[in-house]
Amino acid sequence: MGSKNKLKRFKENETFDNVIQPTRDAVTNGFDLKGKWNTFFKNDNPIVLELGCGKGEYTVGLARMNPNKNYIGIDIKGARFWRGAKTALEEGLENVAFLRTQIELVDALFEENEVSEIWITFPDPQIKYKRTKHRMTNSVFLEKYRTILQSNGFVHLKTDSEFMHGYTLGLLHGQGHEVIYANHDVYKNEGSPDEVLMIQTFYENQYLEKGKPITYIQFRIAD
């Protein structure tokens, strides 16, 4: 993507009612929407996050399927989620928002028990050991998710990485978290939820063309 195109998208994001772009200081020094996301959406419907939302295909797709839930896509790359934000506005989807910030700040963005579900779709598996701290299902991230999730809330992990799938399952079992459902090839093995099968991202289609299996885990984080 050219720099001119990026700048154009950044400027357009600033005009979108469904895009929030706080500074890091605004997030870490008492974010004004923390605990008050119902005022942004103007309803008390469940809040669902997509972390590392990329182009926003999953955020928008889930919002179409579930109009009685509010969806927030979070990513630091605003030029990417511009497409999802624009599509949501064009389709009149009022249950969609996009938040440009670092994912590691998620517990500063939401109050305890404010979130009902979290989706992690095709994250960078960070395979090198020294990158473990950046894996989005490591122990530190799981604790952040536990803090903001409701007691019956759960996390979805959909990935093409067998490493990420195996790493996460091992960690969940080892720490006593509840694995509700796991599938190492969702398009060959029956049983995955419709939300897993009916929404495909740009990158997921590329993985499928290469014959890579798509994996999925749904889990709850123990107290």
Side-chain angles (χ1 to χ4, degrees):
M1 186 189 303
S3 58
K4 287 185 178 180
N5 202 18
K6 277 188 178 181
L7 289 173
K8 180 181 178 182
R9 291 184 176 188
F10 286 143
K11 286 187 175 296
E12 198 165 354
N13 277 346
E14 292 175 1
T15 70
F16 290 167
D17 293 337
N18 61 357
V19 171
I20 304 105
Q21 303 186 93
T23 64
R24 189 180 181 92
D25 284 345
V27 173
T28 56
N29 293 306
F31 185 50
D32 57 358
L33 282 173
K34 182 178 181 179
K36 301 175 182 177
W37 282 96
N38 61 319
T39 64
F40 177 85
F41 288 106
K42 299 181 175 61
N43 61 57
D44 292 320
N45 292 340
I47 292 173
V48 183
L49 310 182
E50 184 192 3
L51 305 181
C53 66
K55 296 175 182 292
E57 299 111 317
Y58 237 92
T59 299
V60 172
L62 289 168
R64 290 188 189 115
M65 293 179 71
N66 303 294
N68 294 321
K69 294 181 180 181
N70 298 318
Y71 292 89
I72 303 173
I74 302 177
D75 206 301
I76 193 60
K77 296 185 178 179
R80 285 188 182 175
F81 68 59
W82 164 88
R83 179 63 270 171
K86 190 174 181 70
T87 297
L89 290 173
E90 290 171 346
E91 296 186 12
L93 296 172
E94 297 183 354
N95 61 331
V96 176
F98 288 92
L99 183 55
R100 183 174 182 262
T101 192
Q102 292 89 353
I103 294 167
E104 61 266 25
L105 300 177
V106 68
D107 52 339
L109 297 161
F110 300 91
E111 192 58 81
E112 292 183 13
N113 307 312
E114 192 172 14
V115 174
S116 65
E117 299 174 47
I118 294 173
W119 282 82
I120 305 170
T121 52
F122 302 97
D124 187 331
Q126 307 288 358
I127 292 175
K128 293 182 179 179
Y129 178 76
K130 65 181 180 180
R131 302 290 295 176
T132 301
K133 65 180 181 180
H134 298 291
R135 289 179 201 150
M136 290 176 60
T137 56
N138 69 26
S139 298
V140 174
F141 274 111
L142 291 184
E143 177 57 24
K144 290 176 182 288
Y145 306 155
R146 185 196 65 76
T147 299
I148 64 174
L149 279 168
Q150 297 167 358
S151 59
N152 62 342
F154 46 88
V155 182
H156 310 261
L157 172 66
K158 186 178 182 183
T159 176
D160 66 302
S161 170
E162 294 181 14
F163 169 83
M164 188 70 168
H165 183 78
Y167 165 82
T168 302
L169 276 179
L171 188 66
L172 295 174
H173 288 306
Q175 296 186 349
H177 303 299
E178 179 187 359
V179 176
I180 301 169
Y181 178 79
N183 191 329
H184 68 274
D185 194 337
V186 300
Y187 296 109
K188 287 188 177 179
N189 303 321
E190 296 181 357
S192 293
D194 287 345
E195 292 173 325
V196 174
L197 301 174
M198 295 178 67
I199 304 172
Q200 294 181 355
T201 70
F202 172 79
Y203 292 108
E204 181 176 354
N205 283 317
Q206 289 188 331
Y207 303 144
L208 290 171
E209 287 177 3
K210 295 177 182 177
K212 298 186 73 173
I214 305 300
T215 72
Y216 171 71
I217 308 172
Q218 182 182 129
F219 61 93
R220 281 196 183 92
I221 303 169
D223 292 333

